[in-house]
Amino acid sequence: MAFRLSARAGRAIAATAGLILAFDAAYAAANWTVSLTSGTTGGEAQAASVQNLTITASASPAAGNLLYPGGNGDVVASISNPNAFPVTITALQLPADTVYATGYTDSALATAATGCDSTSSTVTWNLSTATSGTSVQLTTALVVPAEAANVAGSLVVTLTDEAVMGAGAPSACEGKYFSMPALIGVTATGGAATATTSPTTDTY
C-alpha cells in the first residue's frame, strides 16, 4: 500500500550585515593644495533589517517516493524569502523524533484524517533524535532568491527520502497527506549569491 506525503514546516532564520566604505580624499589645483580633514566618521551606512524565512507545504511528491510503514518518502516544501537579498541555507534544525506529522485527507491539508493525527501517525523527519534541534547539513546549499517588486523570493525544494513512517503506523494513515512537524530553524546567511533554480531536489 502507498502513502502520500506533503510537508508544512515552520519558521527559519537568516542573518546578514551590510557595510559601505568611506574614504578621505585630497586634490591639487594650480598652486593651491586642498586636503580633506578627517572627521569622526567617513559617512554613515546602515545594515538591512533581517526578516524570517517562511517554509510551507508545496505540491505533492511524485509517485514512487511515497511513504509506507517502515519506509521513507519525499518532502516537498516552498521557501519564501521577504528580504532584499538572497539567503543561503546550509543546514536544518529538526524537531524531536516524538513530534509526529498530522495526516490529512486532501493535498490542501484542509481536512484532518481521523485516526492519523500528531499523536498516532508515527511520521517524522528522517534523522530526528530525542533531542529537539538536531542539526543536519544539506547535501547542497539552497539559495533562496531575494524579494523583487514587493514579491517575496521563493524556492520549491523536494527533500528526497527525508520523511520516515514508523513500522507501526495505523491503517488510518493509508493514502493520506501529511503536514510535517515544524522545523526548529535553519543555518543560513544573507548576501550576494546566485539563486538556486526552482524547483530543485536536495537531501541531508
Side-chain angles (χ1 to χ4, degrees), residues 1-4 66-71 165-175:
M1 69 186 143
F3 289 75
R4 297 180 181 177
L66 306 181
L67 280 171
Y68 58 87
M165 176 179 276
S171 59
C173 290
E174 181 179 355

Side-chain angles (χ1 to χ4, degrees), residues 5-10 12 55-62 64-67 71-79 89-95 123-128 136-144 155-164 178 180-186 196-204:
L5 173 72
S6 187
R8 177 176 297 167
I55 303 178
T56 57
S58 190
S60 302
N65 255 354
L66 306 181
L67 280 171
N72 291 40
D74 292 349
V75 176
V76 184
S78 178
I79 308 171
I89 302 173
T90 56
L92 308 178
Q93 282 77 58
L94 307 177
V123 174
T124 189
W125 290 96
N126 189 23
L127 301 186
S128 284
V136 291
Q137 290 289 128
L138 292 172
T139 300
T140 304
L142 296 172
V143 182
V144 188
L155 176 68
V156 175
V157 59
T158 296
L159 297 171
T160 305
D161 287 335
E162 298 310 347
V164 62
F178 294 91
M180 292 300 291
L183 294 171
I184 301 303
V186 301
T196 302
T197 301
S198 182
T200 191
T201 302
D202 207 342
T203 189
Y204 55 73

